[in-house]
């Protein structure tokens, strides 16, 4: 290390001090900084290196200061006092460090955000890691671009309240709404607020990727009618607590004969079973036995007990029989391909179902990426 310091002092520093040309001094600064950053420095070496950095930070040439900032932007070699000094420099010097340097404390970064420079707020928001306190400051006072950058940064720890504040301030911005919607993790309250603001494409992502409360799904389904972006059958398939989901549907008077027929026709047997159990006021295990293992009269008995319309029973009967046939043929009843085959097979039986339900099922057949093998007129 002594030899290293001697080489550093006698060659590179002499060149840095004596050079009158800014480009030459900047090149020397770059070489010095890169060499110091790569070296295995002991405590004395590190102190010597930081003295050199303090000298570079005082250089009158912006190009020299920038060479140091860019070369050591992510290095732990720059002490906090130098980082703070350079953060107050011109943008070309300050931004690389604000964006990457580990020297800054949360208090330093919050101070930078609150100072109000838009480009510096963006630099803070796009750091490789943004703490919760810093993210809250950006959400509270950051410019639109900084908030958008923060929302798109999945390495930023953004609290639920801070996400709500982003929506309060910039809910009219499609770019910010989309950036928040595409975060890897979203609190339920934030998801539900975004549903009201998002485009159809972003809304589809939200209901597919993130959980929705049953009340929200029901409200959206009612709002969009038969072509709802949020399909309650699809929502049910992604629920970890299906019994609770079904109970909430029933409490909201959304657990209808139409919904259960649609679920059955699309191979969502679990939703059908839990729905009948809920309406009949019987445990799921008993409902399962009556649907699957109680002879020809079991389904009729629980169907009647659930209070479903007698005129639709044959359509339900056709659905259950179709499901059993496919299962007996060895189909994997949990896959998308099964649901497609179930829907096609059910429709080819020309079930005596209401026209609006047939129209819904035909639309689902058209939208399924696996479809293309069967097309049946809704009027058939």
């Amino acid at each position: 290390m002594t030899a290293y310091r001697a080489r550093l002092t006698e060659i590179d520093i002499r060149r840095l001090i004596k050079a009158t040309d800014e480009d030459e001094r900047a090149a020397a600064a770059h070489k010095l900084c890169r060499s110091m950053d790569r070296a295995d420095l002991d405590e004395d070496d590190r102190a010597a290196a930081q003295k050199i950095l303090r000298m570079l930070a005082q250089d009158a040439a912006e190009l020299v200061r920038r060479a140091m900032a860019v070369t050591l932007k992510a290095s732990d070699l720059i002490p906090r006092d130098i980082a703070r000094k350079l953060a107050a420099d011109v943008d070309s010097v300050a931004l690389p460090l604000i964006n990457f340097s580990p020297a800054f404390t949360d208090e330093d970064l919050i101070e930078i955000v609150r100072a109000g420079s838009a480009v510096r707020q963006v630099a803070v928001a796009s750091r490789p890691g943004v703490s919760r306190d810093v993210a809250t400051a950006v959400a509270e006072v950051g410019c639109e671009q900084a908030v958008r950058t923060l929302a798109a940064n999945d390495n930023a720890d953004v609290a639920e309240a801070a996400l709500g504040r982003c929506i309060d301030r910039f809910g009219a911005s499609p770019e910010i709404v989309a950036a928040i919607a595409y975060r890897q993790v979203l609190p339920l309250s934030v998801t539900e607020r975004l549903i009201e603001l998002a485009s159809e494409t972003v809304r589809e992502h939200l209901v597919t990727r993130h959980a929705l409360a049953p009340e929200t799904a029901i409200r959206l389904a009612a709002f969009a009618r038969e072509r709802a972006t949020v399909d309650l059958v699809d929502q049910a398939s992604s629920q970890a607590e299906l019994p609770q989901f079904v109970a909430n549907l029933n409490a909201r008077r959304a657990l209808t004969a139409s919904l259960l027929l649609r679920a059955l026709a699309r191979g969502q047997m679990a939703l059908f079973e839990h729905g009948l159990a809920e309406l009949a006021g019987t445990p799921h295990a008993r409902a399962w036995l009556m649907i699957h293992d109680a002879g020809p009269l079991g389904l009729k008995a629980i169907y009647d007990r659930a209070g479903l319309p007698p005129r639709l029973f044959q359509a339900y009967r056709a659905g259950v029989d179709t499901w059993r046939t496919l299962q007996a043929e060895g189909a994997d009843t949990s896959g998308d391909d099964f649901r497609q085959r179930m829907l096609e097979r059910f429709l080819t039986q020309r079930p005596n179902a209401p026209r609006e339900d047939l129209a819904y099922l035909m639309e689902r057949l058209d939208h399924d990426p696996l479809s293309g093998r069967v097309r049946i007129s809704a009027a058939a």
Side-chain angles (χ1 to χ4, degrees):
M1 281 296 126
T2 301
Y4 168 77
R5 282 202 303 273
R7 184 170 66 253
L8 195 65
T9 303
E10 294 175 5
I11 301 174
D12 295 317
I13 296 182
R14 187 187 307 121
R15 179 187 172 200
L16 183 65
I17 293 174
K18 291 187 175 182
T20 57
D21 181 79
E22 289 186 6
D23 290 343
E24 186 177 354
R25 291 211 314 281
H30 169 70
K31 181 182 176 183
L32 267 171
C33 292
R34 184 175 61 180
S35 178
M36 290 187 295
D37 191 39
R38 292 178 176 178
D40 184 14
L41 304 180
D42 62 22
E43 187 174 341
D44 290 339
D45 294 325
R46 193 176 185 85
Q50 290 181 346
K51 286 183 180 178
I52 296 170
L53 296 181
R54 288 189 169 87
M55 180 183 70
L56 292 176
Q58 302 282 352
D59 197 290
E62 176 186 332
L63 196 59
V64 173
R65 302 193 306 277
R66 175 169 169 74
M68 178 179 70
V70 171
T71 306
L72 297 179
K73 63 183 180 182
S75 173
D76 64 356
L77 187 60
I78 293 186
R80 183 186 176 206
D81 64 306
I82 297 178
R84 284 179 57 86
K85 176 180 177 61
L86 294 176
D89 209 320
V90 295
D91 286 346
S92 65
V93 175
L95 292 178
L97 289 169
I98 293 173
N99 198 185
F100 290 101
S101 178
F104 297 112
T105 65
D106 282 357
E107 290 73 18
D108 295 333
L109 296 172
I110 291 171
E111 181 181 331
I112 291 169
V113 169
R114 294 193 179 280
S117 165
V119 291
R120 299 182 185 213
Q121 290 175 344
V122 172
V124 171
S126 61
R127 284 170 64 87
V130 180
S131 73
R132 179 162 292 205
D133 289 344
V134 175
T136 297
V138 175
E140 188 65 37
V141 302
C143 66
E144 182 173 346
Q145 182 59 38
V147 171
R148 179 182 175 183
T149 301
L150 178 73
N153 184 355
D154 271 316
N155 292 317
D157 181 9
V158 190
E160 181 174 352
L163 288 171
R165 184 60 178 145
C166 293
I167 298 172
D168 290 341
R169 296 180 63 211
F170 299 110
S173 166
E175 293 82 7
I176 289 181
V177 169
I180 297 173
Y182 280 89
R183 288 185 64 79
Q184 292 180 2
V185 178
L186 280 181
L188 181 61
S189 65
V190 174
T191 304
E192 293 182 353
R193 288 191 67 186
L194 291 176
I195 285 290
E196 303 290 345
L197 303 170
S199 66
E200 182 174 349
T201 300
V202 175
R203 191 180 298 125
E204 288 279 8
H205 170 81
L206 284 167
V207 301
T208 302
R209 179 70 182 270
H210 300 286
L212 291 181
E215 294 82 357
T216 302
I218 294 163
R219 174 166 46 82
L220 289 169
F223 175 77
R225 302 180 185 272
E226 296 299 328
R227 296 176 180 267
T229 298
V230 178
D231 189 309
L232 293 179
V233 177
D234 290 335
Q235 271 290 297
S237 67
S238 64
Q239 294 294 317
E241 295 294 334
L242 187 55
Q244 183 60 48
F245 182 81
V246 168
N248 283 328
L249 291 178
N250 194 29
R252 303 277 298 196
R253 299 177 182 266
L255 191 61
T256 62
S258 176
L259 176 67
L260 292 180
L261 181 59
R262 295 175 182 195
L264 179 59
R266 293 181 57 197
Q268 301 280 17
M269 181 58 76
L271 175 56
F272 176 64
E273 293 167 356
H274 282 283
L276 280 188
E278 173 71 21
L279 292 175
T282 191
H284 174 257
R286 179 171 175 78
W288 187 96
L289 285 172
M290 296 183 75
I291 293 168
H292 297 289
D293 203 29
L297 299 180
L299 177 62
K300 183 68 165 67
I302 193 169
Y303 183 90
D304 290 343
R305 183 171 178 177
L308 296 174
R311 64 185 176 84
L312 295 182
F313 176 72
Q314 289 307 319
Y316 279 92
R317 174 86 271 171
V320 172
D321 290 345
T322 300
W323 193 90
R324 287 178 179 169
T325 299
L326 288 171
Q327 184 188 45
E329 292 173 359
D332 176 7
T333 60
S334 64
D336 290 336
D337 186 62
F338 170 80
R339 292 171 185 169
Q340 172 67 14
R341 291 172 60 194
M342 174 75 189
L343 181 53
E344 291 177 352
R345 189 82 64 92
F346 178 79
L347 287 172
T348 53
Q349 296 184 49
R350 304 181 186 275
N352 184 26
R355 178 173 292 274
E356 60 270 20
D357 290 324
L358 287 175
Y360 163 87
L361 294 173
M362 287 298 302
E363 182 178 352
R364 298 309 304 185
L365 188 65
D366 284 337
H367 285 179
D368 195 303
L370 296 172
S371 64
R373 295 170 293 197
V374 174
R375 289 291 181 270
I376 304 169
S377 170

